[in-house]
Amino acid sequence: FVYIYRLIPWHYLHYRNNKTEIHSYWQLDAEKRIILKNENEYTDLLREKLIEAVNMRCRSIERPGSELSGGLDSSTVTGIAARYCNENHTALHAYSNVFPQGTEMEIQDEREFIQKMEGFTPLTLHTIDHLSHTIPELLQFIIGFQGCYIQQNFSVLCDALYQAAGRDHVQVLLSGFGGDEMVSARTSVQWNEMIQNSEWSLIRD
């Protein structure tokens, strides 16, 4: 990622005649308030905006995809996208990180919820049960890319998931990963491999 830079949120880049311009397309109005009559109206508005946000990202897309952890957020996003795709005769490809079958682990994945989503809504499920590199290598990559190690424990598995979506030529990959981590996630940080490999400096950093 040398010489590749991330745009500031809510900005776009315009390049023409060897000149680069960066413009803001949206700005948060911190003073704006939405005043409705009751809780049901707030719920309806949230549902409307969420459905609109997911649907607009699926429009005119031949190969839409979604990250499905089995948690509340990713299941909601995947369910909305699957309904839209089904109504528009497009297949939604969902990608889920799971532990290999038969692996004795102290921690559980959310396969139970992933399978319920698969049975509930029309989608093509792809399960990812391997790492693309060792956990220390992936953590080094994440820290180098983001500047920190994020709380989302499955982040070390996402590289293999992205590779799978790339091989399937997915054009847009929706995500709800991490939003509900404090509510339903069953995983804990995978320190064991780092300890076994004596990656003390990485653990310290």
Side-chain angles (χ1 to χ4, degrees):
F1 295 101
V2 176
Y3 307 122
I4 298 177
Y5 300 94
R6 182 181 300 192
L7 280 172
I8 301 170
W10 62 79
H11 284 72
Y12 69 91
L13 185 146
H14 186 262
Y15 179 80
R16 179 184 291 171
N17 299 326
N18 292 325
K19 185 179 179 182
T20 299
E21 296 177 345
I22 296 177
H23 302 278
S24 171
Y25 63 84
W26 181 78
Q27 183 64 50
L28 174 67
D29 183 354
E31 301 302 319
K32 185 175 181 180
R33 295 289 182 268
I34 297 174
I35 307 298
L36 301 175
K37 294 178 182 177
N38 53 53
E39 186 175 330
N40 288 339
E41 290 190 1
Y42 288 106
T43 302
D44 291 341
L45 180 60
L46 173 61
R47 181 182 295 109
E48 174 190 328
K49 294 298 182 183
L50 179 58
I51 292 172
E52 179 185 344
V54 173
N55 288 352
M56 68 186 295
R57 285 159 175 82
C58 295
R59 289 189 190 117
S60 304
I61 300 297
E62 294 179 8
R63 300 284 291 186
S66 179
E67 295 178 304
L68 175 61
S69 71
L72 297 174
D73 290 352
S74 69
S75 295
T76 300
V77 170
T78 299
I80 294 169
R83 175 181 291 180
Y84 178 88
C85 290
N86 188 50
E87 291 172 353
N88 290 273
H89 311 291
T90 306
L92 177 71
H93 294 263
Y95 297 84
S96 300
N97 291 316
V98 298
F99 292 120
Q101 286 283 3
T103 303
E104 295 296 329
M105 300 291 290
E106 296 176 1
I107 51 180
Q108 294 177 300
D109 57 30
E110 296 183 328
R111 193 185 319 251
E112 170 190 352
F113 308 121
I114 293 167
Q115 290 171 343
K116 285 184 179 179
M117 275 299 297
E118 183 183 20
F120 176 74
T121 191
L123 54 82
T124 302
L125 180 65
H126 307 267
T127 54
I128 315 301
D129 64 358
H130 63 279
L131 297 175
S132 58
H133 298 86
T134 65
I135 288 177
E137 289 171 335
L138 290 167
L139 286 175
Q140 287 282 24
F141 172 79
I142 292 166
I143 292 168
F145 181 63
Q146 301 178 159
C148 65
Y149 173 64
I150 62 173
Q151 187 179 13
Q152 175 62 34
N153 298 321
F154 265 175
S155 60
V156 296
L157 299 171
C158 288
D159 188 54
L161 187 152
Y162 298 149
Q163 288 179 17
R167 286 192 298 271
D168 292 337
H169 306 290
V170 166
Q171 296 164 289
V172 169
L173 186 63
L174 302 167
S175 179
F177 275 16
D180 55 2
E181 183 178 47
M182 299 304 292
V183 178
S184 63
R186 293 177 170 179
T187 61
S188 58
V189 179
Q190 295 100 333
W191 299 111
N192 289 346
E193 184 174 344
M194 286 186 286
I195 293 171
Q196 290 167 1
N197 293 335
S198 301
E199 298 281 351
W200 307 116
S201 61
L202 181 59
I203 294 173
R204 178 202 64 209
D205 295 341

